[in-house]
Amino acid sequence: MLFNSFDFVFFFLIVGSVTLLLNHTHKLQARNVFLLLSNYIFYGSFNIYFLAILLFITIVTYIGGGCLSKVSNKKLLTGFVVILSLLPLFTFKYSYFLLYEVLHLSSVPDWTASLILPIGISFFTFQALTYTIDLYRRKIECVKNIIDYSLFVSFFPTVLSGPIEKARNLIPQFRKPQNVSLNDVVTGVGFFAWGLFKKTVIADRLSQYVDWAYSSVEYVSGGTLALAIIFYSIQIYCDFSGYSDMAIGIGRCLGFQLSTNFNFPYFSTKIKDFWRKWHISLTSWFTEYVYFSLGGNRVRLKLRWIFNISMVFLLSGIWHGAAWNFLLWGTIHAALYLTEYFMGLHLKEHQYKNLFQKIIAGIYVFVTVSIAWVFFRVEDVTTVYGILKKIVSGDVLHVMLGASTMTFAINLVLLALFGINEIILHRNRTLGDAVVSHNILVRYGWICSLLMLIALFGRSNDSFVYFQF
């Protein structure tokens, strides 16, 4: 039941209507029970057996949290709960990589071949662990009501691909009725329409060109591959931020405030700024629960700080997938971040003096990030080398369309419309995310225009890139 499907629209109309009704009548417990059942129906629609993993993580962290206040060695119990919670993720996602890629146990029967990665497991596992770790750090109180806690772990807008919510931010919202205003609904619909536009009109259309170019590396020109690299950067941003916008919009329509997950990352002028704006919930998770746990920047030795930073990027890379290319992708970003740091570009007094300098710095960030995305997209490093070599030494001015001229032209026009919208939203971001104007007629017109473009040019039922992580 994908967000970009008619099945989900029908599902959400029912869930949203009943939830708003129960909210209005202040039947809090009934609302939460209904939402919890809706969560399990939504998640079970992908694979009913995956529910067992979701329930396992929920029960382990809930019971572990309840026991934390009753034991003397809280650190040991927390460590045990964390390991037990990570066990399904490790088994389904990393066992093959560890056994056959790292340890090279080729003589051992490949029992991992029949394992299917449960959708969203990386997201809801990390979300559940925020409760366990924050409870240990005494940042939150133990949740007694298992309905409220289960609702937090399985909340259907976030369970598949985030944003990864912290327990201290989301659980309190489930404990009180939400007063949903017309402005909340309009804002939520605006979020959803903008995310759906980015996904179905931009990402899914660009993916056709990207898939064609990457599957024909030996036969296409360097210019074609260069364009495919640019298109993939935009594709993965629109795909993932589109999902996040839809999730935030769904939450807003129900009365819940979900965290911002993207903040115009391609407008960044520094790698450090890019990582403050890209997949914010994951960056925040690793910063708070890994980087700070290792000592952060409070360590005495600069070498130790370099290790702490590097670990965050390496873990971020391997979080995306159990393959060497993801590890290499994380290493590249660690190198870029550290290079920027030792050049002094992280200092507050380092400011770009004019618009031209900002544009040059922005182009640098976009180009370096886009090149790194090649390692993210292509698992075979030899193929990556072939792509980059062809771009450098080949005819970069010769671009193959990969489709009819009309289709290619339409894609460019739609891409231009997307860019204009991004600039407007970026300039008006003080009004709120996904809000183009305070004028209600302008907002309605914008939403209707997006829906019309989606109906005319959108591709439906394509899965999201981050579902595989």
Side-chain angles (χ1 to χ4, degrees):
M1 197 186 302
L2 301 173
F3 283 176
N4 52 326
S5 68
F6 288 108
D7 290 343
F8 178 78
V9 173
F10 180 72
F11 168 83
F12 180 66
L13 287 175
I14 296 175
V15 172
S17 300
V18 176
T19 301
L20 292 177
L21 178 63
L22 293 174
N23 254 331
H24 183 70
T25 55
H26 295 277
K27 295 180 178 179
L28 181 61
Q29 194 63 17
R31 182 204 68 182
N32 287 354
V33 170
F34 172 75
L35 274 177
L36 182 60
L37 292 175
S38 301
N39 292 343
Y40 291 148
I41 291 171
F42 174 79
Y43 189 73
S45 69
F46 292 93
N47 188 321
I48 192 68
Y49 298 107
F50 291 168
L51 275 174
I53 305 298
L54 181 60
L55 290 170
F56 174 80
I57 299 296
T58 302
I59 292 169
V60 166
T61 50
Y62 175 76
I63 294 177
C67 294
L68 266 178
S69 60
K70 302 175 183 178
V71 299
S72 56
N73 196 334
K74 292 179 171 47
K75 190 172 185 179
L76 181 63
L77 177 60
T78 301
F80 175 74
V81 172
V82 169
I83 291 173
L84 197 59
S85 301
L86 289 173
L87 186 60
L89 178 63
F90 180 84
T91 302
F92 283 92
K93 194 169 183 176
Y94 300 106
S95 54
Y96 176 86
F97 180 72
L98 179 64
L99 293 174
Y100 302 103
E101 295 291 334
V102 178
L103 300 178
H104 300 289
L105 301 179
S106 56
S107 59
V108 178
D110 186 4
W111 57 272
T112 64
S114 59
L115 294 179
I116 301 174
L117 183 67
I119 189 170
I121 187 172
S122 299
F123 291 90
F124 64 71
T125 298
F126 272 35
Q127 183 155 308
L129 286 177
T130 67
Y131 171 72
T132 302
I133 300 171
D134 279 358
L135 201 58
Y136 168 73
R137 293 177 174 178
R138 297 181 180 179
K139 290 186 176 182
I140 57 172
E141 298 293 328
C142 179
V143 179
K144 303 296 185 181
N145 191 322
I146 192 171
I147 300 296
D148 294 350
Y149 180 73
S150 301
L151 183 54
F152 157 70
V153 178
S154 63
F155 194 40
F156 76 89
T158 67
V159 71
L160 301 181
S161 288
I164 302 171
E165 292 292 336
K166 293 183 175 65
R168 61 180 184 267
N169 296 335
L170 192 54
I171 291 178
Q173 296 186 53
F174 294 137
R175 290 175 164 174
K176 58 184 180 181
Q178 302 298 327
N179 296 317
V180 184
S181 65
L182 177 61
N183 182 64
D184 289 326
V185 175
V186 173
T187 302
V189 172
F191 262 113
F192 190 88
W194 178 232
L196 188 61
F197 173 82
K198 287 196 285 186
K199 166 59 178 171
T200 62
V201 177
I202 304 301
D204 289 346
R205 292 180 73 89
L206 291 182
S207 70
Q208 293 179 299
Y209 187 90
V210 173
D211 292 344
W212 165 76
Y214 275 108
S215 63
S216 312
V217 172
E218 297 179 0
Y219 309 104
V220 299
S221 64
T224 303
L225 292 172
L227 187 61
I229 289 174
I230 294 172
F231 279 0
Y232 183 69
S233 291
I234 301 171
Q235 177 203 336
I236 195 169
Y237 167 65
C238 288
D239 192 285
F240 192 20
S241 70
Y243 178 94
S244 296
D245 287 343
M246 284 187 271
I248 292 169
I250 294 164
R252 186 69 64 85
C253 288
L254 296 175
F256 302 105
Q257 298 278 345
L258 301 182
S259 303
T260 299
N261 212 19
F262 290 85
N263 186 20
F264 306 98
Y266 288 147
F267 285 93
S268 303
T269 55
K270 299 175 184 177
I271 295 296
K272 183 177 182 179
D273 290 340
F274 173 82
W275 279 106
R276 285 176 173 173
K277 299 175 180 180
W278 178 277
H279 202 174
I280 297 170
S281 62
L282 180 65
T283 303
S284 173
W285 197 99
F286 276 117
T287 299
E288 183 168 349
Y289 301 114
V290 176
Y291 179 67
F292 289 159
S293 298
L294 292 172
N297 58 1
R298 300 185 304 276
V299 293
R300 294 182 179 180
L301 296 176
K302 184 65 70 176
L303 192 63
R304 176 59 189 272
W305 174 80
I306 293 173
F307 171 80
N308 294 347
I309 285 289
S310 300
M311 281 302 298
V312 169
F313 281 106
L314 293 177
L315 288 174
S316 177
I318 206 68
W319 176 90
H320 286 85
W324 294 112
N325 63 306
F326 291 114
L327 195 60
L328 184 56
W329 175 76
T331 303
I332 291 170
H333 273 283
L336 290 171
Y337 186 97
L338 291 171
T339 299
E340 190 176 86
Y341 175 85
F342 286 109
M343 288 177 65
L345 299 179
H346 67 291
L347 299 174
K348 290 184 178 179
E349 56 266 26
H350 184 275
Q351 300 291 335
Y352 297 106
K353 298 178 181 178
N354 51 55
L355 180 61
F356 178 75
Q357 289 185 353
K358 289 182 179 179
I359 291 174
I360 295 300
I363 292 173
Y364 160 76
V365 171
F366 181 77
V367 169
T368 52
V369 167
S370 296
I371 293 173
W373 282 131
V374 182
F375 294 87
F376 189 93
R377 174 66 169 72
V378 181
E379 187 169 345
D380 182 16
V381 178
T382 304
T383 303
V384 174
Y385 173 75
I387 291 171
L388 298 179
K389 181 181 178 182
K390 207 165 189 179
I391 292 172
V392 173
S393 60
D395 182 9
V396 294
L397 298 179
H398 177 222
V399 177
M400 301 163 67
L401 302 185
S404 68
T405 305
M406 180 60 72
T407 300
F408 192 80
I410 290 173
N411 288 346
L412 290 182
V413 171
L414 293 171
L415 201 54
L417 288 174
F418 160 71
I420 292 170
N421 272 275
E422 278 282 283
I423 292 171
I424 293 172
L425 289 169
H426 182 260
R427 289 176 65 87
N428 294 344
R429 60 192 181 279
T430 53
L431 302 178
D433 296 321
V435 178
V436 293
S437 172
H438 275 317
N439 188 309
I440 194 68
L441 292 179
V442 174
R443 293 172 68 183
Y444 282 139
W446 180 66
I447 292 170
C448 291
S449 298
L450 290 176
L451 294 176
M452 182 180 68
L453 289 170
I454 291 166
L456 291 173
F457 301 105
R459 285 166 50 87
S460 62
N461 295 324
D462 281 8
S463 186
F464 292 80
V465 172
Y466 265 67
F467 278 11
Q468 61 185 301
F469 306 136

Short mmCIF file of all heavy atoms in Angstrom, two decimals, residues 1-5 7-8 11 38-51 54 116-120 124 156-157 159-161 243 461-464 467:
data_model
loop_
_atom_site.label_atom_id
_atom_site.label_comp_id
_atom_site.label_asym_id
_atom_site.label_seq_id
_atom_site.Cartn_x
_atom_site.Cartn_y
_atom_site.Cartn_z
N MET A 1 0.85 -1.19 0.00
CA MET A 1 0.00 0.00 0.00
C MET A 1 0.89 1.25 0.00
O MET A 1 1.20 1.82 1.04
CB MET A 1 -0.92 0.01 1.22
CG MET A 1 -2.10 0.97 1.10
SD MET A 1 -3.05 1.06 2.63
CE MET A 1 -3.54 -0.64 2.88
N LEU A 2 1.36 1.63 -1.16
CA LEU A 2 2.27 2.76 -1.30
C LEU A 2 1.52 4.08 -1.15
O LEU A 2 0.34 4.18 -1.49
CB LEU A 2 2.97 2.71 -2.66
CG LEU A 2 3.79 1.46 -2.96
CD1 LEU A 2 4.28 1.49 -4.40
CD2 LEU A 2 4.98 1.36 -2.01
N PHE A 3 2.23 5.10 -0.67
CA PHE A 3 1.62 6.43 -0.56
C PHE A 3 1.12 6.92 -1.91
O PHE A 3 0.15 7.67 -1.98
CB PHE A 3 2.65 7.43 -0.03
CG PHE A 3 2.90 7.32 1.46
CD1 PHE A 3 3.86 8.12 2.06
CD2 PHE A 3 2.18 6.44 2.25
CE1 PHE A 3 4.10 8.03 3.42
CE2 PHE A 3 2.41 6.35 3.60
CZ PHE A 3 3.38 7.16 4.20
N ASN A 4 1.83 6.53 -2.98
CA ASN A 4 1.48 7.00 -4.33
C ASN A 4 0.56 6.02 -5.05
O ASN A 4 0.71 5.78 -6.25
CB ASN A 4 2.76 7.22 -5.15
CG ASN A 4 3.69 6.03 -5.16
OD1 ASN A 4 3.78 5.31 -4.17
ND2 ASN A 4 4.38 5.79 -6.25
N SER A 5 -0.39 5.47 -4.31
CA SER A 5 -1.34 4.53 -4.91
C SER A 5 -2.77 4.90 -4.50
O SER A 5 -2.99 5.53 -3.46
CB SER A 5 -1.04 3.09 -4.47
OG SER A 5 -1.30 2.92 -3.08
N ASP A 7 -4.98 2.79 -3.55
CA ASP A 7 -5.31 2.00 -2.37
C ASP A 7 -5.05 2.80 -1.10
O ASP A 7 -5.85 2.78 -0.15
CB ASP A 7 -4.49 0.71 -2.34
CG ASP A 7 -4.92 -0.27 -3.41
OD1 ASP A 7 -6.03 -0.11 -3.94
OD2 ASP A 7 -4.14 -1.20 -3.72
N PHE A 8 -3.91 3.51 -1.09
CA PHE A 8 -3.58 4.28 0.10
C PHE A 8 -4.53 5.46 0.28
O PHE A 8 -4.91 5.78 1.41
CB PHE A 8 -2.14 4.79 0.05
CG PHE A 8 -1.80 5.64 1.25
CD1 PHE A 8 -1.51 5.04 2.46
CD2 PHE A 8 -1.83 7.02 1.17
CE1 PHE A 8 -1.24 5.81 3.58
CE2 PHE A 8 -1.56 7.80 2.29
CZ PHE A 8 -1.26 7.20 3.49
N PHE A 11 -7.53 4.12 1.87
CA PHE A 11 -7.19 3.77 3.24
C PHE A 11 -7.13 5.02 4.12
O PHE A 11 -7.70 5.06 5.22
CB PHE A 11 -5.85 3.03 3.26
CG PHE A 11 -5.23 2.86 4.62
CD1 PHE A 11 -5.62 1.84 5.46
CD2 PHE A 11 -4.23 3.73 5.05
CE1 PHE A 11 -5.05 1.67 6.71
CE2 PHE A 11 -3.64 3.58 6.30
CZ PHE A 11 -4.05 2.54 7.13
N SER A 38 -4.87 0.38 12.55
CA SER A 38 -4.62 0.90 11.19
C SER A 38 -3.16 0.75 10.82
O SER A 38 -2.83 0.41 9.67
CB SER A 38 -5.04 2.37 11.11
OG SER A 38 -6.40 2.53 11.42
N ASN A 39 -2.28 1.01 11.79
CA ASN A 39 -0.84 0.84 11.55
C ASN A 39 -0.51 -0.58 11.12
O ASN A 39 0.24 -0.81 10.16
CB ASN A 39 -0.04 1.16 12.82
CG ASN A 39 -0.10 2.63 13.19
OD1 ASN A 39 -0.47 3.47 12.38
ND2 ASN A 39 0.25 2.93 14.42
N TYR A 40 -1.07 -1.55 11.86
CA TYR A 40 -0.75 -2.95 11.57
C TYR A 40 -1.37 -3.41 10.25
O TYR A 40 -0.79 -4.23 9.54
CB TYR A 40 -1.22 -3.83 12.73
CG TYR A 40 -0.40 -3.64 13.99
CD1 TYR A 40 -0.98 -3.77 15.25
CD2 TYR A 40 0.95 -3.31 13.92
CE1 TYR A 40 -0.23 -3.59 16.40
CE2 TYR A 40 1.70 -3.13 15.08
CZ TYR A 40 1.12 -3.27 16.31
OH TYR A 40 1.86 -3.09 17.46
N ILE A 41 -2.55 -2.90 9.92
CA ILE A 41 -3.15 -3.21 8.62
C ILE A 41 -2.29 -2.66 7.50
O ILE A 41 -2.02 -3.34 6.50
CB ILE A 41 -4.58 -2.65 8.54
CG1 ILE A 41 -5.51 -3.40 9.49
CG2 ILE A 41 -5.12 -2.71 7.10
CD1 ILE A 41 -6.88 -2.78 9.63
N PHE A 42 -1.84 -1.41 7.68
CA PHE A 42 -1.00 -0.77 6.67
C PHE A 42 0.31 -1.54 6.48
O PHE A 42 0.69 -1.88 5.35
CB PHE A 42 -0.70 0.68 7.09
CG PHE A 42 0.27 1.39 6.19
CD1 PHE A 42 -0.13 1.91 4.97
CD2 PHE A 42 1.60 1.55 6.57
CE1 PHE A 42 0.75 2.58 4.14
CE2 PHE A 42 2.50 2.21 5.75
CZ PHE A 42 2.08 2.72 4.54
N TYR A 43 1.01 -1.82 7.58
CA TYR A 43 2.29 -2.50 7.48
C TYR A 43 2.12 -3.94 7.00
O TYR A 43 2.91 -4.45 6.19
CB TYR A 43 3.03 -2.48 8.82
CG TYR A 43 4.45 -2.96 8.72
CD1 TYR A 43 5.44 -2.18 8.13
CD2 TYR A 43 4.82 -4.23 9.20
CE1 TYR A 43 6.74 -2.63 8.02
CE2 TYR A 43 6.12 -4.68 9.10
CZ TYR A 43 7.08 -3.88 8.51
OH TYR A 43 8.37 -4.33 8.38
N GLY A 44 1.09 -4.62 7.49
CA GLY A 44 0.84 -6.00 7.09
C GLY A 44 0.46 -6.14 5.64
O GLY A 44 0.56 -7.23 5.06
N SER A 45 0.01 -5.04 5.00
CA SER A 45 -0.38 -5.11 3.59
C SER A 45 0.81 -5.40 2.69
O SER A 45 0.64 -5.87 1.56
CB SER A 45 -1.05 -3.80 3.16
OG SER A 45 -0.12 -2.73 3.14
N PHE A 46 2.03 -5.15 3.16
CA PHE A 46 3.22 -5.45 2.37
C PHE A 46 3.62 -6.91 2.52
O PHE A 46 3.95 -7.57 1.53
CB PHE A 46 4.38 -4.54 2.80
CG PHE A 46 4.17 -3.10 2.46
CD1 PHE A 46 3.60 -2.22 3.37
CD2 PHE A 46 4.52 -2.61 1.21
CE1 PHE A 46 3.39 -0.89 3.05
CE2 PHE A 46 4.31 -1.27 0.87
CZ PHE A 46 3.74 -0.41 1.79
N ASN A 47 3.59 -7.39 3.73
CA ASN A 47 3.88 -8.81 4.00
C ASN A 47 3.43 -9.08 5.43
O ASN A 47 4.00 -8.53 6.38
CB ASN A 47 5.37 -9.11 3.82
CG ASN A 47 5.67 -10.59 3.89
OD1 ASN A 47 5.11 -11.33 4.70
ND2 ASN A 47 6.59 -11.05 3.06
N ILE A 48 2.45 -9.94 5.58
CA ILE A 48 1.86 -10.19 6.90
C ILE A 48 2.89 -10.74 7.88
O ILE A 48 2.82 -10.50 9.09
CB ILE A 48 0.65 -11.16 6.77
CG1 ILE A 48 -0.14 -11.19 8.08
CG2 ILE A 48 1.10 -12.54 6.35
CD1 ILE A 48 -0.86 -9.90 8.39
N TYR A 49 3.90 -11.45 7.34
CA TYR A 49 4.91 -12.05 8.22
C TYR A 49 5.86 -11.00 8.79
O TYR A 49 6.49 -11.23 9.84
CB TYR A 49 5.70 -13.11 7.46
CG TYR A 49 4.83 -14.25 6.97
CD1 TYR A 49 4.52 -14.39 5.62
CD2 TYR A 49 4.30 -15.17 7.86
CE1 TYR A 49 3.71 -15.43 5.18
CE2 TYR A 49 3.50 -16.22 7.43
CZ TYR A 49 3.21 -16.33 6.08
OH TYR A 49 2.39 -17.36 5.65
N PHE A 50 5.98 -9.85 8.12
CA PHE A 50 6.85 -8.79 8.63
C PHE A 50 6.34 -8.22 9.94
O PHE A 50 7.10 -7.63 10.72
CB PHE A 50 6.97 -7.65 7.61
CG PHE A 50 7.75 -8.01 6.37
CD1 PHE A 50 7.72 -7.18 5.26
CD2 PHE A 50 8.50 -9.17 6.31
CE1 PHE A 50 8.43 -7.49 4.12
CE2 PHE A 50 9.21 -9.51 5.17
CZ PHE A 50 9.18 -8.65 4.06
N LEU A 51 5.03 -8.39 10.19
CA LEU A 51 4.45 -7.89 11.44
C LEU A 51 5.11 -8.52 12.66
O LEU A 51 5.21 -7.89 13.72
CB LEU A 51 2.95 -8.18 11.47
CG LEU A 51 2.03 -7.15 10.81
CD1 LEU A 51 0.60 -7.66 10.81
CD2 LEU A 51 2.12 -5.80 11.51
N LEU A 54 8.10 -6.44 13.58
CA LEU A 54 7.66 -5.17 14.18
C LEU A 54 7.18 -5.38 15.61
O LEU A 54 7.52 -4.60 16.52
CB LEU A 54 6.54 -4.57 13.32
CG LEU A 54 5.97 -3.22 13.76
CD1 LEU A 54 7.04 -2.15 13.79
CD2 LEU A 54 4.82 -2.80 12.85
N ILE A 116 14.25 -12.38 3.36
CA ILE A 116 13.73 -11.19 2.69
C ILE A 116 13.77 -10.05 3.69
O ILE A 116 13.23 -10.15 4.79
CB ILE A 116 12.29 -11.41 2.20
CG1 ILE A 116 12.24 -12.59 1.23
CG2 ILE A 116 11.74 -10.16 1.53
CD1 ILE A 116 10.82 -12.97 0.82
N LEU A 117 14.41 -8.95 3.31
CA LEU A 117 14.55 -7.83 4.23
C LEU A 117 13.18 -7.21 4.52
O LEU A 117 12.51 -6.72 3.61
CB LEU A 117 15.48 -6.77 3.63
CG LEU A 117 15.78 -5.55 4.51
CD1 LEU A 117 16.59 -5.98 5.73
CD2 LEU A 117 16.52 -4.48 3.72
N PRO A 118 12.74 -7.24 5.78
CA PRO A 118 11.44 -6.61 6.12
C PRO A 118 11.48 -5.12 5.81
O PRO A 118 12.42 -4.42 6.20
CB PRO A 118 11.31 -6.87 7.63
CG PRO A 118 12.19 -8.05 7.89
CD PRO A 118 13.34 -7.91 6.94
N ILE A 119 10.48 -4.64 5.14
CA ILE A 119 10.44 -3.25 4.72
C ILE A 119 10.40 -2.34 5.95
O ILE A 119 9.67 -2.59 6.90
CB ILE A 119 9.21 -3.01 3.80
CG1 ILE A 119 9.27 -1.63 3.17
CG2 ILE A 119 7.92 -3.21 4.55
CD1 ILE A 119 8.23 -1.43 2.09
N GLY A 120 11.23 -1.31 5.94
CA GLY A 120 11.24 -0.32 7.02
C GLY A 120 11.96 -0.74 8.28
O GLY A 120 11.97 0.02 9.26
N PHE A 124 12.13 1.63 11.78
CA PHE A 124 11.39 1.46 13.04
C PHE A 124 12.28 0.89 14.15
O PHE A 124 12.00 1.11 15.33
CB PHE A 124 10.10 0.66 12.85
CG PHE A 124 10.24 -0.77 12.40
CD1 PHE A 124 10.73 -1.75 13.24
CD2 PHE A 124 9.81 -1.15 11.13
CE1 PHE A 124 10.81 -3.08 12.83
CE2 PHE A 124 9.88 -2.47 10.71
CZ PHE A 124 10.38 -3.44 11.57
N PHE A 156 2.02 4.59 11.10
CA PHE A 156 2.09 4.24 9.68
C PHE A 156 2.71 5.30 8.76
O PHE A 156 3.33 4.94 7.76
CB PHE A 156 0.71 3.81 9.16
CG PHE A 156 -0.28 4.91 8.92
CD1 PHE A 156 -0.35 5.56 7.69
CD2 PHE A 156 -1.18 5.29 9.91
CE1 PHE A 156 -1.27 6.56 7.46
CE2 PHE A 156 -2.11 6.28 9.69
CZ PHE A 156 -2.15 6.93 8.46
N PRO A 157 2.63 6.62 9.05
CA PRO A 157 3.33 7.55 8.17
C PRO A 157 4.85 7.39 8.20
O PRO A 157 5.53 7.67 7.21
CB PRO A 157 2.91 8.93 8.69
CG PRO A 157 1.63 8.69 9.40
CD PRO A 157 1.78 7.33 10.01
N VAL A 159 6.66 4.47 9.55
CA VAL A 159 7.19 3.12 9.78
C VAL A 159 8.02 2.60 8.61
O VAL A 159 8.94 1.80 8.80
CB VAL A 159 6.02 2.14 10.09
CG1 VAL A 159 5.17 1.88 8.85
CG2 VAL A 159 6.55 0.83 10.68
N LEU A 160 7.76 3.07 7.40
CA LEU A 160 8.46 2.53 6.23
C LEU A 160 9.77 3.24 5.92
O LEU A 160 10.77 2.59 5.61
CB LEU A 160 7.55 2.58 4.99
CG LEU A 160 6.23 1.83 5.08
CD1 LEU A 160 5.47 1.97 3.77
CD2 LEU A 160 6.46 0.36 5.40
N SER A 161 9.77 4.57 5.96
CA SER A 161 10.97 5.32 5.60
C SER A 161 11.12 6.62 6.38
O SER A 161 11.65 7.59 5.86
CB SER A 161 10.96 5.64 4.09
OG SER A 161 11.20 4.49 3.32
N TYR A 243 8.78 11.28 -0.18
CA TYR A 243 8.17 10.39 0.81
C TYR A 243 8.03 11.10 2.16
O TYR A 243 6.98 11.05 2.80
CB TYR A 243 9.01 9.13 1.00
CG TYR A 243 8.44 8.20 2.05
CD1 TYR A 243 7.58 7.17 1.69
CD2 TYR A 243 8.71 8.39 3.40
CE1 TYR A 243 7.02 6.34 2.66
CE2 TYR A 243 8.14 7.58 4.37
CZ TYR A 243 7.30 6.55 3.99
OH TYR A 243 6.74 5.76 4.95
N ASN A 461 2.50 4.03 -8.59
CA ASN A 461 2.82 2.71 -8.05
C ASN A 461 4.28 2.29 -8.20
O ASN A 461 4.60 1.12 -8.08
CB ASN A 461 1.92 1.62 -8.68
CG ASN A 461 0.46 1.81 -8.32
OD1 ASN A 461 0.15 2.23 -7.21
ND2 ASN A 461 -0.42 1.56 -9.28
N ASP A 462 5.19 3.23 -8.45
CA ASP A 462 6.61 2.92 -8.40
C ASP A 462 7.06 2.95 -6.95
O ASP A 462 6.74 3.89 -6.21
CB ASP A 462 7.42 3.94 -9.22
CG ASP A 462 7.35 3.66 -10.71
OD1 ASP A 462 6.55 2.79 -11.09
OD2 ASP A 462 8.08 4.30 -11.48
N SER A 463 7.83 1.96 -6.51
CA SER A 463 8.27 1.90 -5.12
C SER A 463 9.28 3.01 -4.84
O SER A 463 9.86 3.60 -5.76
CB SER A 463 8.91 0.54 -4.84
OG SER A 463 9.22 0.42 -3.48
N PHE A 464 9.50 3.27 -3.58
CA PHE A 464 10.43 4.31 -3.17
C PHE A 464 11.84 3.73 -3.03
O PHE A 464 12.02 2.60 -2.57
CB PHE A 464 10.00 4.93 -1.85
CG PHE A 464 8.73 5.74 -1.95
CD1 PHE A 464 7.47 5.11 -1.95
CD2 PHE A 464 8.77 7.12 -2.05
CE1 PHE A 464 6.31 5.85 -2.03
CE2 PHE A 464 7.60 7.86 -2.14
CZ PHE A 464 6.37 7.24 -2.14
N PHE A 467 12.99 2.27 0.38
CA PHE A 467 12.35 1.06 0.90
C PHE A 467 13.34 -0.09 1.00
O PHE A 467 13.16 -1.00 1.81
CB PHE A 467 11.17 0.65 0.01
CG PHE A 467 9.90 1.41 0.29
CD1 PHE A 467 9.90 2.54 1.10
CD2 PHE A 467 8.69 1.00 -0.26
CE1 PHE A 467 8.75 3.24 1.36
CE2 PHE A 467 7.52 1.70 0.01
CZ PHE A 467 7.55 2.83 0.80
#
